[in-house]
Each structure stands twice: as C-alpha cells, then as structure tokens.
DNA sequence: GGTCAATTTCCTGTTT
DNA sequence: GAAACAGGAAATTGAC
C-alpha cells in the first residue's frame, strides 16, 4: 500500500522520485543537493522553483531537510518536483493546502526523521499543535490546513 | 546532567 | 466501519 511512496504511481519525476531510492537516501544524498552548494547554482535552482535567492539561502540544504515539520511541509509545497502529488495548494494566496496522500506524507516524514513507525495520525497530531502557536490555522475541511501568521516563507510574493 | 522545545506515542471520544 | 479530527497526557529526543 505504501508502495506508492517509493514507486512510480506518484513518482512521475525520475530525478527526485527514483523508485529505487528511499526518501532517506534521497535526502541524505549529496548528489541531490548539488545546486545548493554554490550561490549561483542555488539562485538558478530557486528561480526554477520560484523561490527568491535570499529565502532560498535560509533554506540552503534545508529544502526537505528542515528540522521542523511545518517547514518540511512548506518546502514540500514549494518544490513540486519533490512533492510528487503528496500535497497540493488549495489557495496559494491564503496559504491553504491539502494533504492528498496522507500515508505517503507520513512515510516521507518518518523517513526524514528516521522513524519508520510514523503514521498520519501522529503527524496530524503534531500539525494540530501548530494551531496553538499560530503556525497553522484550522480549516474545517478534512486534510486541509492553512499557514498561520507565524508561518513564513510560503508566500510567493514574500519569498 | 538539567532544561526546554518540538515532536512522538497513546489514548478516548467525535465527526464525516 | 474506516478514516480523519480534536486534544489531553506523558514520553522521547536533540540542542544548548
């Protein structure tokens, strides 16, 4: 079932969605971050993903390696090529997004944290804690979340 | 070693 | 009935 995480059904982009490479491998593999090693390359990478260089640098080598869950989610949303359809914007301007593949997201986060016992239930509990801190806001729809006033770096015009 | 923040884990109950 | 949500409580983990 969770094969979808590592197999081609939702991994259309071969470069980031290699079915033979786990997400842990992917995230720890230097070859997948060469563009972040140098500023110019970082800039060109950021242009490709619509991320301005300054913010991109704050995310240098943190794209999908962010220490915090909400940053991980944000970076996933900002990187369609790594996203593989797990998350999608519902309303980009308002920061509303939807979890399309909850199990895949949990698996991805679990591999990121080297925790193969991660589930969407646990991940969503962590997301709910963000309501208290204003990083996320409640949306009364299933699998839909919204970035709050204390979340940063997700807005297109403020990147 | 202590403290703290950020989860993680487990749980019960509710809603869709 | 399954999946997801809500939130309390305690445990764990990593950074400082």
């Amino acid at each position: 079932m969770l094969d979808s995480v590592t197999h081609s059904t939702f991994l259309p982009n071969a470069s980031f969605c290699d079915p033979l490479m786990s997400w842990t491998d992917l995230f720890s593999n230097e070859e997948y971050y060469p563009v972040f090693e140098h500023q110019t390359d970082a800039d060109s990478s950021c242009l490709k993903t619509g991320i301005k260089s300054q913010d991109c640098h704050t995310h240098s080598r943190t794209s999908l390696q962010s220490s915090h869950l909400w940053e991980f989610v944000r970076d996933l949303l900002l990187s369609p090529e790594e996203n593989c359809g797990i998350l999608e914007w519902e309303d980009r301007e308002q920061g509303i997004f939807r979890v399309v593949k909850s199990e895949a997201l949990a698996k991805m986060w679990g591999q990121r944290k080297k925790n193969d016992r991660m589930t969407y239930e646990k991940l969503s509990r962590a997301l709910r804690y963000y309501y208290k801190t204003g990083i996320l806001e409640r949306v009364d729809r299933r699998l839909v979340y919204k970035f709050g006033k204390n979340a940063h770096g997700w807005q297109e015009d403020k990147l």
Side-chain angles (χ1 to χ4, degrees):
Chain A
M1 177 163 62
L2 291 177
D3 285 354
S4 62
V5 177
T6 52
H7 291 77
S8 58
T9 50
F10 93 96
L11 301 175
N13 187 320
S15 66
F16 275 96
C17 304
D18 186 338
L20 298 177
M21 179 178 284
S22 73
W23 286 103
T24 307
D25 291 340
L26 194 155
F27 295 147
S28 60
N29 190 336
E30 293 286 331
E31 292 180 9
Y32 280 79
Y33 294 93
V35 295
F36 296 127
E37 295 300 321
H38 308 293
Q39 182 173 336
T40 52
D41 287 338
D43 287 343
S44 64
S45 169
C46 294
L47 283 173
K48 272 194 286 185
T49 55
I51 303 171
K52 289 183 180 177
S53 61
Q54 184 178 2
D55 196 58
C56 186
H57 290 157
T58 65
H59 299 221
S60 284
R61 288 189 48 83
T62 65
S63 284
L64 303 181
Q65 287 213 96
S66 307
S67 59
H68 294 169
L69 174 57
W70 76 270
E71 293 172 318
F72 173 79
V73 168
R74 176 199 63 193
D75 291 341
L76 210 50
L77 280 162
L78 294 176
S79 304
E81 64 270 36
E82 292 93 336
N83 186 325
C84 301
I86 294 173
L87 297 167
E88 66 179 33
W89 289 107
E90 287 260 308
D91 187 331
R92 177 68 192 271
E93 289 189 0
Q94 293 191 56
I96 299 173
F97 62 93
R98 185 161 58 95
V99 178
V100 179
K101 295 165 183 170
S102 57
E103 290 185 19
L105 178 65
K107 175 121 182 171
M108 208 165 162
W109 176 241
Q111 291 192 341
R112 165 75 178 79
K113 297 291 289 284
K114 296 180 171 59
N115 177 1
D116 57 7
R117 296 175 62 192
M118 180 53 59
T119 64
Y120 180 72
E121 187 177 359
K122 293 175 197 172
L123 185 151
S124 64
R125 180 69 189 99
L127 290 177
R128 288 197 295 276
Y129 271 121
Y130 288 137
Y131 295 150
K132 283 185 177 179
T133 57
I135 289 171
L136 291 180
E137 291 178 15
R138 210 169 264 124
V139 175
D140 289 332
R141 286 161 58 199
R142 286 190 158 207
L143 298 172
V144 177
Y145 298 87
K146 178 182 179 181
F147 287 115
K149 61 183 184 302
N150 291 332
H152 53 81
W154 58 269
Q155 289 157 302
E156 257 174 331
D157 59 346
K158 293 185 180 178
L159 288 173

